[in-house]
Each structure stands twice: as structure tokens, then as C-alpha cells.
Amino acid sequence: PNEPMTRAMLVTVLYRLEGEPPVTGANSFTVVGSGQWYTDAVLWANAKGIVAGYGGGLFGAGDSITRQQMAAILHRYASHKGYDVTAAADLSAYTDASEVSDWAETAMKWAKAEGLITGRTASTLAPEGSATRAEVAAILQRFVAGFTE
């Protein structure tokens, strides 16, 4: 549970949550080979606009997912599902709020407002910190309970 969650693991969880739908479309990632345990999940998530990768055909399947990447992926997944993603919390109480990347700010505010993500401590979000498997499990449990039940 204390090991970092990878980008491939998170999209695989979401893909399985969707019931592993058929994958259509071309592989736009040069480093996501066919037949890997995460291939269909990454291709599905990319086709649905849930992930775009790093650019230049790179996805980073084995990279530890940061807390802000996780929030952005969940935000795009929720949007894909048609859930309301307009909630936004004020992050200014966190001393590291300025470390939230511009591309993740809306998602982090949404995830905080929805109670999905909490501070790593009372005063820090750790947006660039790796999310552990335990953290992601708790966040996904809150997501499922809040949006799908």
C-alpha cells in the first residue's frame, strides 16, 4: 500500500471500472506496446480524452503518478462520465498551493471540493508528490461512493 501508484495502474483501474470496453482507434503512444497488461486501458483512456500523455508519443506507463496528475485524470474521467465537475475549493490555505501546475489547478480544486483529495498534511497538498497505492485506493473509494452510488 505504501508503494507509488503508476500511471498505467490508475488508468487500468478506471478501465476496469468501466467494464473493460472494446478498444478502438490507433495507438498514439510510441512507448505503449501491444499486449502489455495496461495497453488496452491506456488506449481506451486516450481515446476518451482521459489521458494525453507527456507529448511526443510518451505516456510514462511505469512512472509514479503525482497527486496532481491523479486529480487531472479523475477530473477528465468524471467529465467523460457526464458528472458535474464544476465544484472548486480554495487551495490558498495550503503553503504549497503555488506548486499546483496550471494544467492541474481546476482538477485539484475540484478534487478538494468534492472531498476526494485531502492535504498530505494540514498545511500541504504535495501536488507533485507521488501518490501511494493506499492514497489512490482511498480517493477512488470516495470517488465511487460520491459519484456512482
Side-chain angles (χ1 to χ4, degrees), residues 33-84:
S34 63
Q36 299 299 313
W37 59 268
Y38 54 82
T39 301
D40 285 349
V42 172
L43 298 182
W44 165 82
N46 181 242
K48 299 299 181 188
I50 299 166
V51 297
Y54 297 135
L58 302 176
F59 176 69
D63 293 354
S64 297
I65 195 159
T66 66
R67 290 166 52 87
Q68 66 184 356
Q69 288 172 347
M70 176 192 53
I73 289 171
L74 285 177
H75 185 260
R76 289 190 296 265
Y77 176 68
S79 182
H80 159 73
K81 296 292 288 178
Y83 303 148
D84 182 1

Side-chain angles (χ1 to χ4, degrees), residues 6-148:
T6 68
R7 293 167 53 83
M9 287 177 193
L10 180 59
V11 295
T12 299
V13 169
L14 296 178
Y15 178 64
R16 290 178 179 163
L17 187 61
E18 282 296 293
E20 300 183 33
V23 176
T24 57
N27 183 353
S28 63
F29 298 112
T30 58
V31 294
V32 175
S34 63
Q36 299 299 313
W37 59 268
Y38 54 82
T39 301
D40 285 349
V42 172
L43 298 182
W44 165 82
N46 181 242
K48 299 299 181 188
I50 299 166
V51 297
Y54 297 135
L58 302 176
F59 176 69
D63 293 354
S64 297
I65 195 159
T66 66
R67 290 166 52 87
Q68 66 184 356
Q69 288 172 347
M70 176 192 53
I73 289 171
L74 285 177
H75 185 260
R76 289 190 296 265
Y77 176 68
S79 182
H80 159 73
K81 296 292 288 178
Y83 303 148
D84 182 1
V85 293
T86 60
D90 179 8
L91 304 180
S92 64
Y94 295 99
T95 59
D96 59 354
S98 64
E99 294 175 22
V100 175
S101 299
D102 291 343
W103 55 263
E105 186 174 357
T106 298
M108 288 290 283
K109 287 179 176 182
W110 167 80
K112 176 66 178 144
E114 292 293 348
L116 303 177
I117 194 167
T118 59
R120 177 74 51 86
T121 69
S123 62
T124 61
L125 280 170
E128 295 178 0
S130 295
T132 67
R133 292 166 59 131
E135 282 178 310
V136 175
I139 290 164
L140 288 171
Q141 187 278 325
R142 291 189 288 263
F143 179 87
V144 170
F147 287 98
T148 62

